[in-house]
Amino acid sequence: MTVIALDKWYDYIKSHDRAALWELLHPDAVFESPVVHTPQRGRDLTFKYLSSAEKVLGGPGFAYIGEWRGDTGAVLEFENEIEGIRVNGVDIITFSEDGRITHFKVMVRPLKAINLLHRLMGEQLARQ
């Protein structure tokens, strides 16, 4: 994994630039949600889920509080408070050799947070 690829992810989180997110995603990207049983395959679906998650989770209180890097990816721990519920989770991101996201898995705790995100993500995805 190149540091540049992870930097591009952080840039997207700061800028909310949807075009930058699209460019960062590999055409065969896969997204795994904490509430949807089956992986969402392809750039279109991965883009839809990640851009929706950014709107739901990426408010003013969102922060990455931990980072673990490997050769081909990273695990980023995040926190935010939404509707009075503390959301804690990790983004597990895998990058291709050319620096694009090939796999993005989100894990969230506690159960209250999962239930809240399930509702809010459903509402956000329905708007798209």
Side-chain angles (χ1 to χ4, degrees):
M1 176 204 66
T2 64
V3 173
I4 293 168
L6 190 54
D7 287 345
K8 287 181 181 181
W9 173 254
Y10 283 129
D11 289 345
Y12 163 68
I13 292 299
K14 290 177 190 169
S15 71
H16 313 288
D17 180 356
R18 293 168 53 95
L21 174 60
W22 181 260
E23 288 303 316
L24 187 54
L25 296 174
H26 189 278
D28 297 324
V30 175
F31 178 80
E32 290 190 72
S33 162
V35 296
V36 177
H37 176 69
T38 57
Q40 303 303 299
R41 299 188 182 281
R43 181 188 276 168
D44 290 332
L45 283 174
T46 300
F47 178 82
K48 183 176 180 177
Y49 274 84
L50 287 175
S51 59
S52 293
E54 186 272 322
K55 288 179 182 175
V56 169
L57 272 168
F62 180 87
Y64 281 117
I65 60 169
E67 176 185 298
W68 298 267
R69 295 181 185 206
D71 292 339
T72 60
V75 176
L76 309 176
E77 183 180 9
F78 62 84
E79 286 186 343
N80 201 355
E81 186 171 317
I82 304 170
E83 296 184 7
I85 296 174
R86 191 62 145 166
V87 179
N88 174 247
V90 292
D91 293 333
I92 304 169
I93 309 170
T94 305
F95 296 98
S96 63
E97 286 186 17
D98 67 354
R100 291 186 168 186
I101 293 172
T102 57
H103 193 211
F104 200 107
K105 182 187 294 187
V106 180
M107 301 179 83
V108 174
R109 61 167 300 281
L111 181 58
K112 279 185 185 182
I114 293 171
N115 291 335
L116 173 67
L117 292 177
H118 182 237
R119 177 177 58 85
L120 294 176
M121 283 293 292
E123 292 169 2
Q124 182 63 41
L125 288 165
R127 287 187 200 111
Q128 290 193 2

PDB file of all heavy atoms in Angstrom, residues 38-58:
ATOM      1  N   THR A  38     -24.784  -9.298   2.329  1.00  0.00           N
ATOM      2  CA  THR A  38     -23.950  -9.601   1.171  1.00  0.00           C
ATOM      3  C   THR A  38     -23.040  -8.425   0.823  1.00  0.00           C
ATOM      4  O   THR A  38     -23.437  -7.265   0.956  1.00  0.00           O
ATOM      5  CB  THR A  38     -24.820  -9.937  -0.060  1.00  0.00           C
ATOM      6  OG1 THR A  38     -25.694  -8.840  -0.311  1.00  0.00           O
ATOM      7  CG2 THR A  38     -25.639 -11.187   0.170  1.00  0.00           C
ATOM      8  N   PRO A  39     -21.840  -8.724   0.378  1.00  0.00           N
ATOM      9  CA  PRO A  39     -20.949  -7.649  -0.073  1.00  0.00           C
ATOM     10  C   PRO A  39     -21.561  -6.920  -1.273  1.00  0.00           C
ATOM     11  O   PRO A  39     -22.213  -7.535  -2.125  1.00  0.00           O
ATOM     12  CB  PRO A  39     -19.672  -8.387  -0.482  1.00  0.00           C
ATOM     13  CG  PRO A  39     -19.730  -9.707   0.219  1.00  0.00           C
ATOM     14  CD  PRO A  39     -21.189 -10.034   0.324  1.00  0.00           C
ATOM     15  N   GLN A  40     -21.344  -5.622  -1.327  1.00  0.00           N
ATOM     16  CA  GLN A  40     -21.820  -4.800  -2.436  1.00  0.00           C
ATOM     17  C   GLN A  40     -20.663  -4.688  -3.424  1.00  0.00           C
ATOM     18  O   GLN A  40     -19.616  -4.147  -3.091  1.00  0.00           O
ATOM     19  CB  GLN A  40     -22.253  -3.423  -1.926  1.00  0.00           C
ATOM     20  CG  GLN A  40     -23.326  -3.504  -0.846  1.00  0.00           C
ATOM     21  CD  GLN A  40     -24.562  -4.253  -1.313  1.00  0.00           C
ATOM     22  OE1 GLN A  40     -25.222  -3.844  -2.263  1.00  0.00           O
ATOM     23  NE2 GLN A  40     -24.870  -5.367  -0.659  1.00  0.00           N
ATOM     24  N   ARG A  41     -20.846  -5.204  -4.620  1.00  0.00           N
ATOM     25  CA  ARG A  41     -19.744  -5.349  -5.574  1.00  0.00           C
ATOM     26  C   ARG A  41     -19.812  -4.307  -6.689  1.00  0.00           C
ATOM     27  O   ARG A  41     -20.879  -4.036  -7.223  1.00  0.00           O
ATOM     28  CB  ARG A  41     -19.754  -6.739  -6.177  1.00  0.00           C
ATOM     29  CG  ARG A  41     -19.572  -7.814  -5.122  1.00  0.00           C
ATOM     30  CD  ARG A  41     -19.379  -9.196  -5.701  1.00  0.00           C
ATOM     31  NE  ARG A  41     -19.257 -10.184  -4.649  1.00  0.00           N
ATOM     32  CZ  ARG A  41     -18.148 -10.402  -3.951  1.00  0.00           C
ATOM     33  NH1 ARG A  41     -17.078  -9.711  -4.212  1.00  0.00           N
ATOM     34  NH2 ARG A  41     -18.128 -11.311  -3.002  1.00  0.00           N
ATOM     35  N   GLY A  42     -18.654  -3.759  -7.010  1.00  0.00           N
ATOM     36  CA  GLY A  42     -18.526  -2.817  -8.113  1.00  0.00           C
ATOM     37  C   GLY A  42     -18.388  -1.383  -7.626  1.00  0.00           C
ATOM     38  O   GLY A  42     -18.780  -1.034  -6.513  1.00  0.00           O
ATOM     39  N   ARG A  43     -17.797  -0.573  -8.482  1.00  0.00           N
ATOM     40  CA  ARG A  43     -17.552   0.832  -8.153  1.00  0.00           C
ATOM     41  C   ARG A  43     -18.850   1.587  -7.880  1.00  0.00           C
ATOM     42  O   ARG A  43     -18.917   2.369  -6.940  1.00  0.00           O
ATOM     43  CB  ARG A  43     -16.793   1.506  -9.288  1.00  0.00           C
ATOM     44  CG  ARG A  43     -16.479   2.967  -8.998  1.00  0.00           C
ATOM     45  CD  ARG A  43     -15.900   3.664 -10.191  1.00  0.00           C
ATOM     46  NE  ARG A  43     -14.468   3.424 -10.261  1.00  0.00           N
ATOM     47  CZ  ARG A  43     -13.725   3.717 -11.308  1.00  0.00           C
ATOM     48  NH1 ARG A  43     -14.264   4.244 -12.389  1.00  0.00           N
ATOM     49  NH2 ARG A  43     -12.433   3.486 -11.286  1.00  0.00           N
ATOM     50  N   ASP A  44     -19.881   1.347  -8.690  1.00  0.00           N
ATOM     51  CA  ASP A  44     -21.137   2.097  -8.519  1.00  0.00           C
ATOM     52  C   ASP A  44     -21.734   1.892  -7.127  1.00  0.00           C
ATOM     53  O   ASP A  44     -22.078   2.860  -6.450  1.00  0.00           O
ATOM     54  CB  ASP A  44     -22.165   1.695  -9.580  1.00  0.00           C
ATOM     55  CG  ASP A  44     -21.805   2.174 -10.972  1.00  0.00           C
ATOM     56  OD1 ASP A  44     -21.116   3.209 -11.093  1.00  0.00           O
ATOM     57  OD2 ASP A  44     -22.214   1.511 -11.947  1.00  0.00           O
ATOM     58  N   LEU A  45     -21.864   0.634  -6.701  1.00  0.00           N
ATOM     59  CA  LEU A  45     -22.445   0.357  -5.382  1.00  0.00           C
ATOM     60  C   LEU A  45     -21.532   0.807  -4.248  1.00  0.00           C
ATOM     61  O   LEU A  45     -21.991   1.360  -3.245  1.00  0.00           O
ATOM     62  CB  LEU A  45     -22.771  -1.127  -5.234  1.00  0.00           C
ATOM     63  CG  LEU A  45     -24.033  -1.603  -5.942  1.00  0.00           C
ATOM     64  CD1 LEU A  45     -24.175  -3.111  -5.836  1.00  0.00           C
ATOM     65  CD2 LEU A  45     -25.258  -0.911  -5.373  1.00  0.00           C
ATOM     66  N   THR A  46     -20.242   0.576  -4.409  1.00  0.00           N
ATOM     67  CA  THR A  46     -19.295   1.003  -3.375  1.00  0.00           C
ATOM     68  C   THR A  46     -19.347   2.519  -3.220  1.00  0.00           C
ATOM     69  O   THR A  46     -19.377   3.045  -2.101  1.00  0.00           O
ATOM     70  CB  THR A  46     -17.876   0.527  -3.715  1.00  0.00           C
ATOM     71  OG1 THR A  46     -17.879  -0.906  -3.806  1.00  0.00           O
ATOM     72  CG2 THR A  46     -16.877   0.957  -2.649  1.00  0.00           C
ATOM     73  N   PHE A  47     -19.383   3.229  -4.320  1.00  0.00           N
ATOM     74  CA  PHE A  47     -19.490   4.696  -4.297  1.00  0.00           C
ATOM     75  C   PHE A  47     -20.777   5.138  -3.592  1.00  0.00           C
ATOM     76  O   PHE A  47     -20.758   6.037  -2.753  1.00  0.00           O
ATOM     77  CB  PHE A  47     -19.449   5.238  -5.722  1.00  0.00           C
ATOM     78  CG  PHE A  47     -19.599   6.725  -5.803  1.00  0.00           C
ATOM     79  CD1 PHE A  47     -18.502   7.554  -5.596  1.00  0.00           C
ATOM     80  CD2 PHE A  47     -20.820   7.307  -6.097  1.00  0.00           C
ATOM     81  CE1 PHE A  47     -18.633   8.940  -5.670  1.00  0.00           C
ATOM     82  CE2 PHE A  47     -20.967   8.678  -6.176  1.00  0.00           C
ATOM     83  CZ  PHE A  47     -19.864   9.499  -5.960  1.00  0.00           C
ATOM     84  N   LYS A  48     -21.872   4.491  -3.930  1.00  0.00           N
ATOM     85  CA  LYS A  48     -23.168   4.840  -3.327  1.00  0.00           C
ATOM     86  C   LYS A  48     -23.127   4.669  -1.807  1.00  0.00           C
ATOM     87  O   LYS A  48     -23.559   5.545  -1.063  1.00  0.00           O
ATOM     88  CB  LYS A  48     -24.261   3.965  -3.943  1.00  0.00           C
ATOM     89  CG  LYS A  48     -25.655   4.283  -3.466  1.00  0.00           C
ATOM     90  CD  LYS A  48     -26.676   3.424  -4.208  1.00  0.00           C
ATOM     91  CE  LYS A  48     -28.076   3.715  -3.755  1.00  0.00           C
ATOM     92  NZ  LYS A  48     -29.074   2.946  -4.495  1.00  0.00           N
ATOM     93  N   TYR A  49     -22.592   3.548  -1.356  1.00  0.00           N
ATOM     94  CA  TYR A  49     -22.533   3.293   0.090  1.00  0.00           C
ATOM     95  C   TYR A  49     -21.558   4.222   0.795  1.00  0.00           C
ATOM     96  O   TYR A  49     -21.869   4.768   1.858  1.00  0.00           O
ATOM     97  CB  TYR A  49     -22.187   1.822   0.367  1.00  0.00           C
ATOM     98  CG  TYR A  49     -23.401   0.937   0.379  1.00  0.00           C
ATOM     99  CD1 TYR A  49     -23.919   0.427  -0.807  1.00  0.00           C
ATOM    100  CD2 TYR A  49     -24.047   0.622   1.562  1.00  0.00           C
ATOM    101  CE1 TYR A  49     -25.047  -0.373  -0.808  1.00  0.00           C
ATOM    102  CE2 TYR A  49     -25.169  -0.192   1.570  1.00  0.00           C
ATOM    103  CZ  TYR A  49     -25.668  -0.673   0.379  1.00  0.00           C
ATOM    104  OH  TYR A  49     -26.787  -1.460   0.392  1.00  0.00           O
ATOM    105  N   LEU A  50     -20.375   4.419   0.232  1.00  0.00           N
ATOM    106  CA  LEU A  50     -19.383   5.269   0.898  1.00  0.00           C
ATOM    107  C   LEU A  50     -19.807   6.736   0.921  1.00  0.00           C
ATOM    108  O   LEU A  50     -19.616   7.425   1.926  1.00  0.00           O
ATOM    109  CB  LEU A  50     -18.011   5.118   0.244  1.00  0.00           C
ATOM    110  CG  LEU A  50     -17.286   3.820   0.532  1.00  0.00           C
ATOM    111  CD1 LEU A  50     -15.990   3.740  -0.261  1.00  0.00           C
ATOM    112  CD2 LEU A  50     -17.008   3.662   2.023  1.00  0.00           C
ATOM    113  N   SER A  51     -20.382   7.222  -0.159  1.00  0.00           N
ATOM    114  CA  SER A  51     -20.820   8.619  -0.161  1.00  0.00           C
ATOM    115  C   SER A  51     -22.006   8.813   0.788  1.00  0.00           C
ATOM    116  O   SER A  51     -22.112   9.849   1.449  1.00  0.00           O
ATOM    117  CB  SER A  51     -21.139   9.104  -1.574  1.00  0.00           C
ATOM    118  OG  SER A  51     -22.142   8.337  -2.181  1.00  0.00           O
ATOM    119  N   SER A  52     -22.868   7.823   0.901  1.00  0.00           N
ATOM    120  CA  SER A  52     -23.973   7.893   1.864  1.00  0.00           C
ATOM    121  C   SER A  52     -23.451   7.836   3.290  1.00  0.00           C
ATOM    122  O   SER A  52     -23.901   8.583   4.161  1.00  0.00           O
ATOM    123  CB  SER A  52     -24.963   6.752   1.629  1.00  0.00           C
ATOM    124  OG  SER A  52     -25.619   6.911   0.396  1.00  0.00           O
ATOM    125  N   ALA A  53     -22.494   6.953   3.540  1.00  0.00           N
ATOM    126  CA  ALA A  53     -21.917   6.836   4.880  1.00  0.00           C
ATOM    127  C   ALA A  53     -21.227   8.126   5.288  1.00  0.00           C
ATOM    128  O   ALA A  53     -21.298   8.541   6.453  1.00  0.00           O
ATOM    129  CB  ALA A  53     -20.927   5.670   4.936  1.00  0.00           C
ATOM    130  N   GLU A  54     -20.582   8.789   4.348  1.00  0.00           N
ATOM    131  CA  GLU A  54     -19.928  10.063   4.654  1.00  0.00           C
ATOM    132  C   GLU A  54     -20.962  11.102   5.095  1.00  0.00           C
ATOM    133  O   GLU A  54     -20.722  11.870   6.015  1.00  0.00           O
ATOM    134  CB  GLU A  54     -19.128  10.538   3.435  1.00  0.00           C
ATOM    135  CG  GLU A  54     -18.304  11.773   3.676  1.00  0.00           C
ATOM    136  CD  GLU A  54     -19.088  13.038   3.425  1.00  0.00           C
ATOM    137  OE1 GLU A  54     -19.879  13.069   2.481  1.00  0.00           O
ATOM    138  OE2 GLU A  54     -18.909  14.001   4.196  1.00  0.00           O
ATOM    139  N   LYS A  55     -22.122  11.095   4.461  1.00  0.00           N
ATOM    140  CA  LYS A  55     -23.172  12.042   4.849  1.00  0.00           C
ATOM    141  C   LYS A  55     -23.754  11.709   6.223  1.00  0.00           C
ATOM    142  O   LYS A  55     -24.055  12.583   7.012  1.00  0.00           O
ATOM    143  CB  LYS A  55     -24.275  12.068   3.795  1.00  0.00           C
ATOM    144  CG  LYS A  55     -23.844  12.746   2.529  1.00  0.00           C
ATOM    145  CD  LYS A  55     -24.940  12.744   1.498  1.00  0.00           C
ATOM    146  CE  LYS A  55     -24.439  13.400   0.230  1.00  0.00           C
ATOM    147  NZ  LYS A  55     -25.397  13.335  -0.854  1.00  0.00           N
ATOM    148  N   VAL A  56     -23.921  10.426   6.509  1.00  0.00           N
ATOM    149  CA  VAL A  56     -24.505   9.992   7.778  1.00  0.00           C
ATOM    150  C   VAL A  56     -23.506  10.125   8.927  1.00  0.00           C
ATOM    151  O   VAL A  56     -23.839  10.639   9.992  1.00  0.00           O
ATOM    152  CB  VAL A  56     -25.021   8.532   7.666  1.00  0.00           C
ATOM    153  CG1 VAL A  56     -25.377   7.967   9.026  1.00  0.00           C
ATOM    154  CG2 VAL A  56     -26.218   8.463   6.722  1.00  0.00           C
ATOM    155  N   LEU A  57     -22.299   9.660   8.707  1.00  0.00           N
ATOM    156  CA  LEU A  57     -21.291   9.610   9.777  1.00  0.00           C
ATOM    157  C   LEU A  57     -20.334  10.795   9.795  1.00  0.00           C
ATOM    158  O   LEU A  57     -19.745  11.096  10.823  1.00  0.00           O
ATOM    159  CB  LEU A  57     -20.428   8.347   9.622  1.00  0.00           C
ATOM    160  CG  LEU A  57     -20.923   7.106  10.291  1.00  0.00           C
ATOM    161  CD1 LEU A  57     -20.138   5.905   9.799  1.00  0.00           C
ATOM    162  CD2 LEU A  57     -20.829   7.224  11.791  1.00  0.00           C
ATOM    163  N   GLY A  58     -20.166  11.444   8.661  1.00  0.00           N
ATOM    164  CA  GLY A  58     -19.092  12.422   8.513  1.00  0.00           C
ATOM    165  C   GLY A  58     -19.399  13.819   8.999  1.00  0.00           C
ATOM    166  O   GLY A  58     -18.865  14.776   8.454  1.00  0.00           O
TER     167      GLY A  58
END
